[in-house]
Amino acid sequence: MIYLRLYDVRCCTAPERAKRGSDMMRRATCHCGQLSLSVEGEPALVSACNCTRCQRRSGSAFALTSRWNKNQLTERSGDSATYARKGASGGNVECVFCPQCGSTVSTVLELLPDHIGIPVGCFADPTFPGPKIAAWCDSKLEWVQFPRGALLLRDQSRPMETQ
């Protein structure tokens, strides 16, 4: 059983950045600002991935990603390039990045075909909700700790015995 597919979380609300009607609008951009995405509402899930591929892609200890239903994507602007690879599950992983600065601005997982992943850092919002799930904890750096109550998985499916 793959928890990332089944774990349905409604994240806590963050302060509003922009409104269109009654829904919150958020804008994510690459480092240079050339590529951007706008989404409406709250993320379906915020997750951390500790796999070594995400560590390398993000250049950090783990990748912190917000997952949005594709129908929440309201605008996309700028040029992008795509890098595709196979994930540990055997499914395709597409990383969309800015060809000018190299920042990953979105990911699409074959495992979650109706969702788009947007790195939390692209929103540059210090009030963004924290992760509710952390995958691939068997390869996380020893000093990394996630919020109390987050579901910690050894890989994509096996829960850790203790937090």
Side-chain angles (χ1 to χ4, degrees):
M1 175 132 324
I2 305 292
Y3 274 88
L4 289 177
R5 175 173 285 178
L6 299 176
Y7 196 71
D8 182 26
V9 176
R10 296 307 298 177
C11 297
C12 57
T13 58
E16 296 180 56
R17 296 292 175 240
K19 283 222 177 222
R20 187 180 84 187
S22 61
D23 291 322
M24 184 185 318
M25 298 295 295
R26 295 181 190 265
R27 185 168 180 257
T29 65
C30 65
H31 185 71
C32 72
Q34 184 276 138
L35 179 59
S36 68
L37 300 172
S38 294
V39 289
E40 183 174 37
E42 291 296 323
L45 176 69
V46 178
S47 61
C49 183
N50 298 279
C51 79
T52 55
R53 286 182 159 185
C54 281
Q55 289 172 0
R56 287 184 180 109
R57 180 191 53 77
S58 68
S60 188
F62 56 88
L64 186 60
T65 304
S66 56
R67 302 269 172 217
W68 304 82
N69 292 313
K70 285 188 175 177
N71 64 1
Q72 289 180 275
L73 181 64
T74 60
E75 182 181 351
R76 181 189 177 283
S77 65
D79 295 326
S80 65
T82 301
Y83 171 72
R85 65 172 177 84
K86 290 286 184 190
S89 67
N92 292 323
V93 176
E94 288 186 3
C95 300
V96 177
F97 61 95
C98 174
Q100 291 180 19
C101 68
S103 299
T104 299
V105 176
S106 68
T107 57
V108 178
L109 307 178
E110 187 175 0
L111 181 66
L112 298 169
D114 297 328
H115 291 81
I116 183 171
I118 302 174
V120 169
C122 291
F123 292 101
D125 180 355
T127 66
F128 206 91
K132 298 294 183 186
I133 188 169
W136 296 99
C137 290
D138 275 352
S139 57
K140 79 175 180 62
L141 284 94
E142 291 179 1
W143 52 264
V144 171
Q145 294 185 15
F146 293 102
R148 181 176 300 279
L151 176 62
L152 304 180
L153 302 175
R154 290 190 172 286
D155 48 26
Q156 285 180 295
S157 60
R158 296 179 301 142
M160 303 288 286
E161 285 79 30
T162 61
Q163 186 169 348

